[in-house]
Amino acid sequence: MKTLALHNLKGGVGKTAAAVNLAYLAAANDVPTLLWDLDPQGAASWYFHGEPQEQKLKSVFQGSTPVGRLVVPSPYENLKLIPADLSYRYLDILLKKVEPPREALKRLLKPFSEQFALAVLDCPPSLSHLADNTFEAADMIAVPVVPTFLSLRALEQVQAYFKQEGLDVRKLRPFYSMADRRRGLHRELIEQPPLAMARALKAVIPYASMVERMGERRAPMAAYAPSEDPALLAYAELWLEVSAALRL
């Protein structure tokens, strides 16, 4: 089983939208997929109509409940979900009680390899013990970056953290998200990407009202958007790049 994490130090950059759409596209392409919503806000869970399971999470880390019991169905074939809730704000504390400290999440994911070919992790925007576990467990960390200097700075901070901690920087694969080519700065940074984007995926996810309607529909874009919609086509391109890099 391959593990794809969606992570950014900065929030509001289209991370959850990418996680939801990539998980859906993977499942639609006959890849048995598990989406684990690690963000206490539970946005990915909400999109997939997943119900919170606050009591079960703690019991998993206490060893009294198998991690597989956290899994619930999604409305879509080949796609299942581990929903989040506000109890995930304590996930750092729970993970620190497991040894070795950075491999707890990786060990929890291991039993799922018999059932799933891909795990997608929607991560909260932070550098934390949970982030360390995610970085260790993931085969690829896709980092959505809005074409602005502040968003690029957040990417550079994560890249610097990887080097400082001796983590594999090659796992980090940024891509432009919420891009508006009508804006001069966005267009300039897309056409002349800075060094931080040297290993970027080529897909550029546009800023589009059709993406925002995911909240209205509580569904991934492919469930309601026209097949020729530019944002949907951009997510499809992103999926092709991710699947090729992960050899799915």
Side-chain angles (χ1 to χ4, degrees), residues 218-239:
R218 288 187 70 181
M221 282 193 65
Y224 64 86
S227 59
E228 69 277 7
D229 180 80
L232 179 58
L233 292 174
Y235 279 120
E237 181 184 353
L238 182 64
W239 160 246

Side-chain angles (χ1 to χ4, degrees), residues 79-135:
L79 178 57
K80 293 189 178 180
L81 172 72
I82 298 181
D85 58 65
L86 283 176
S87 71
Y88 274 57
R89 67 192 186 275
Y90 301 123
L91 197 47
D92 269 342
I93 298 171
L94 295 172
L95 286 168
K96 284 180 180 178
K97 296 179 179 180
V98 183
E99 293 292 337
R102 284 187 172 179
E103 296 184 12
L105 187 60
K106 187 175 183 178
R107 290 210 311 276
L108 285 174
L109 284 165
K110 191 173 181 180
F112 294 120
S113 60
E114 296 181 6
Q115 185 178 359
F116 300 99
L118 175 66
V120 178
L121 309 179
D122 185 24
C123 309
S126 67
L127 285 178
S128 61
H129 189 62
L130 171 57
D132 287 344
N133 269 259
T134 302
F135 299 153

Side-chain angles (χ1 to χ4, degrees), residues 177-198:
S177 173
M178 300 177 66
D180 186 348
R181 293 181 185 270
R182 296 171 300 178
R183 300 182 181 183
L185 178 60
H186 282 216
R187 191 168 59 251
E188 178 184 336
L189 290 173
I190 292 169
E191 294 173 356
Q192 301 177 24
L195 184 60
M197 298 292 289

